[in-house]
Amino acid sequence: MWKRMSLTGKILVAMVLGITLGIIFNYTGLNADGGFVNTYLVNGLFAIIGKLFVNSLKMLVVPLVFISLICGVCGIGDIRLLGRIGGKTFVMYMFTTAVAIATAIGLGSLVGIGKGMDLVPEVGFEGKQAPPLMDVFSNIIPSNPISAMANGDMLSIIFFAILIGISILMVGKPAKSLVQGLELINEVILKMVTIIMNLAPYGVFALLVKAMSDLGLDLIMQLMGYVALVAVALALHFFVVMMVILKVFSKLSVRVFLTKVREVLVFAFSTSSSNATIPITLRTVTMRMGVKNSVASFTVPFGATINMDGTAIMQGITTIFIANLYSIDLGLSQYVMVIVMSVLASIGTAGVPGVGMIMLSMVFAQIGLPIEGIGLVLGVDRFIDMMRTAVNVGGDAVVTTIVANSEGKMDMTVYNDPDAGVKEVFEGHIDPESQQTFSTVFDDGLLGSEYQQMPQTDHSPSGTKHDGNKH
Ligand code: ASP
């Protein structure tokens, strides 16, 4: 039965099994420190499999973003259009984040979360220094692109790739073979994403067993009101508000979108990292939803870096929760400040686990809330991080689709085809034609004449060859 199940089905089953087993380990005390389960399974086998899986995703992020963005810029072919797409995307990201935080504040105030609760911080929380926002902007231009790549500085990489793309366009015709070469590399990297996706059920299972076993269930129960409210706000924002926004701005089918975005949400949930999920998001929006690479290669990594709707929601609700716990009344101007600060913080929040909480110190400092209050919710942050990351990445996919649709950069046959981009993943498909050609190539030596005749798919610099499921 497992063999015949679709990959999405397998991933979802793995998710449920991982969560269940993890909670059993935690609840029954099997995960107690020093025990067999804790030492050899949770912190042994599952930790290793989970780490290998996340590493394999992260391994592809920088090369994929770098190469696909250069191809994307060449595919757009017009610098003004590039500016328009960039501007639209930025405005949409900021708009949706502001809506998210406003929803969170509305809901938090309505419920009066934290009022009358009696909790004393157990651990002192030393607010880690949030990176100054100025640094985020001044580091957009990397002084050393290689070190930016080594550090995974997404905005720097985006800038450098766009600059190369523009320069290639300026060189014009003589650079055609360079673009073709880059498109081939891009195609190869996407195949690597496909290979890794086949391993996803095992990776997701291992990550979730570990995360759930380590969870402080007692703490979650104690903070149930807070955790539940964040969960409700996240669900409300993504499944209702964002879907209305998708419908209003693009008229696309919400049902199709939700079916296809599922895998992205599960990956984000299991890894708690928007950045590590980039390869999957990019693959899903291009191959499953039909967004042209020329738009997605920019909007997806850009969103993973600056668009954090889920994080903003957590920040809004936590702010109200802690203020109420300390019986501090927030005035209108402070609420406005929370909105502004959270939107700014979302630009500065890197798409890696746990950073949202660090950025919250910045919001607290600005409106004068005691930073040690954050210590109260720190214990449940790992769990909330999983949920909010799914919403962060889901938001990137929504905006990507809206922007692509508004620019006519979508292949609707792919969007409406339920099997688009699926078949290849199941079968680990290797093109028989290229197999044949490669054996000729190897027999005759790489420089043999057959090499020149290698089957070329569509390498027009439109960057659209990944669309559809023609494989
Ligand atoms: N883990 C989140 C992300 O990668 C960021 C955060 O809120 O901590 O999107």
Side-chain angles (χ1 to χ4, degrees):
M1 192 173 98
W2 179 253
K3 275 217 159 121
R4 266 183 288 123
M5 209 183 267
S6 72
L7 183 69
T8 312
K10 284 182 188 168
I11 295 177
L12 292 176
V13 169
M15 180 177 152
V16 173
L17 289 179
I19 292 177
T20 313
L21 190 62
I23 290 182
I24 291 176
F25 281 168
N26 184 293
Y27 191 70
T28 55
L30 275 172
N31 190 33
D33 277 351
F36 176 82
V37 169
N38 180 272
T39 315
Y40 294 104
L41 293 182
V42 173
N43 289 316
L45 186 68
F46 295 131
I48 294 173
I49 297 178
K51 183 94 178 62
L52 287 175
F53 179 62
V54 174
N55 280 358
S56 60
L57 284 171
K58 284 194 194 160
M59 167 179 80
L60 299 182
V61 172
V62 173
L64 180 60
V65 169
F66 184 62
I67 304 284
S68 72
L69 189 48
I70 298 178
C71 296
V73 174
C74 295
I76 291 182
D78 176 348
I79 297 173
R80 264 168 315 173
L81 183 56
L82 185 70
R84 195 171 76 207
I85 291 177
K88 247 189 211 180
T89 310
F90 183 76
V91 170
M92 279 307 280
Y93 279 149
M94 293 303 103
F95 167 67
T96 50
T97 306
V99 171
I101 174 104
T103 309
I105 290 180
L107 215 59
S109 314
L110 200 73
V111 174
I113 181 79
K115 276 198 177 138
M117 270 175 98
D118 183 20
L119 280 170
V120 184
E122 286 167 21
V123 275
F125 175 73
E126 309 247 332
K128 272 197 221 145
Q129 196 55 43
L133 208 57
M134 282 317 289
D135 282 5
V136 176
F137 292 114
S138 58
N139 286 337
I140 288 180
I141 300 185
S143 61
N144 179 345
I146 305 294
S147 98
M149 286 188 202
N151 295 327
D153 295 339
M154 209 48 72
L155 291 182
S156 307
I157 298 171
I158 291 177
F159 179 86
F160 190 53
I162 291 181
L163 193 62
I164 294 183
I166 293 175
S167 309
I168 290 179
L169 286 176
M170 288 165 77
V171 170
K173 248 202 179 134
K176 191 168 171 229
S177 49
L178 175 62
V179 178
Q180 286 175 336
L182 289 171
E183 290 197 335
L184 263 182
I185 300 178
N186 194 30
E187 195 161 331
V188 171
I189 302 176
L190 276 170
K191 293 282 182 255
M192 291 162 86
V193 179
T194 300
I195 294 174
I196 289 167
M197 274 196 82
N198 279 298
L199 303 173
Y202 311 100
V204 165
F205 175 74
L207 282 172
L208 289 177
V209 175
K210 166 128 182 69
M212 292 295 153
S213 307
D214 290 344
L215 218 62
L217 264 190
D218 292 344
L219 202 62
I220 291 193
M221 287 305 167
Q222 205 185 353
L223 289 169
M224 198 54 193
Y226 164 75
V227 176
L229 189 66
V230 175
V232 168
L234 289 172
L236 181 73
H237 175 72
F238 185 69
F239 293 108
V240 181
V241 179
M242 287 304 275
M243 290 309 113
V244 171
I245 291 179
L246 177 70
K247 194 78 202 167
V248 169
F249 283 92
S250 74
K251 311 265 180 306
L252 290 170
S253 156
V254 167
R255 193 180 49 78
V256 171
F257 181 88
L258 284 177
T259 313
K260 296 193 173 191
V261 86
R262 269 187 314 194
E263 279 155 22
V264 177
L265 300 185
V266 174
F267 270 77
F269 183 79
S270 336
T271 59
S272 291
S273 168
S274 300
N275 277 3
T277 312
I278 288 177
I280 309 302
T281 321
L282 204 49
R283 188 186 185 285
T284 302
V285 294
T286 52
M287 298 177 79
R288 302 265 290 125
M289 298 185 185
V291 174
K292 306 276 190 213
N293 181 55
S294 52
V295 172
S297 63
F298 168 71
T299 54
V300 170
F302 193 43
T305 318
I306 71 155
N307 182 48
M308 306 270 165
D309 297 358
T311 302
I313 286 173
M314 174 281 286
Q315 292 176 339
I317 290 188
T318 311
T319 305
I320 294 183
F321 181 53
I322 304 292
N324 282 342
L325 278 181
Y326 283 89
S327 306
I328 298 172
D329 272 334
L330 296 177
L332 183 66
S333 65
Q334 278 161 312
Y335 280 126
V336 174
M337 187 59 102
V338 174
I339 296 183
V340 174
M341 288 309 292
S342 291
V343 172
L344 288 177
S346 113
I347 299 179
T349 307
V352 293
V355 186
M357 258 311 160
I358 297 174
M359 297 307 280
L360 187 60
S361 324
M362 187 174 107
V363 180
F364 271 36
Q366 199 64 35
I367 58 170
L369 280 183
I371 291 183
E372 59 278 11
I374 294 178
L376 275 171
V377 291
L378 218 52
V380 293
D381 189 56
R382 176 74 185 81
F383 182 55
I384 288 184
D385 196 6
M386 296 164 80
M387 296 192 286
R388 71 175 180 253
T389 307
V391 173
N392 288 347
V393 177
D396 301 343
V398 172
V399 171
T400 295
T401 319
I402 292 175
V403 171
N405 188 263
S406 73
E407 291 291 336
K409 299 268 181 207
M410 265 189 91
D411 186 337
M412 287 314 291
T413 43
V414 175
Y415 188 83
N416 291 320
D417 175 0
D419 291 331
V422 170
K423 204 161 165 270
E424 187 193 42
V425 181
F426 295 161
E427 294 173 359
H429 168 96
I430 292 179
D431 185 357
E433 214 181 309
S434 41
Q435 254 178 329
Q436 214 177 4
T437 316
F438 282 131
S439 54
T440 332
V441 168
F442 288 127
D443 288 345
D444 292 5
L446 268 178
L447 294 176
S449 56
E450 288 80 359
Y451 182 62
Q452 323 290 337
Q453 293 157 17
M454 258 173 62
Q456 305 271 319
T457 34
D458 168 23
H459 295 307
S460 62
S462 63
T464 59
K465 64 192 175 306
H466 308 297
D467 307 330
N469 60 341
K470 36 186 162 162
H471 299 282

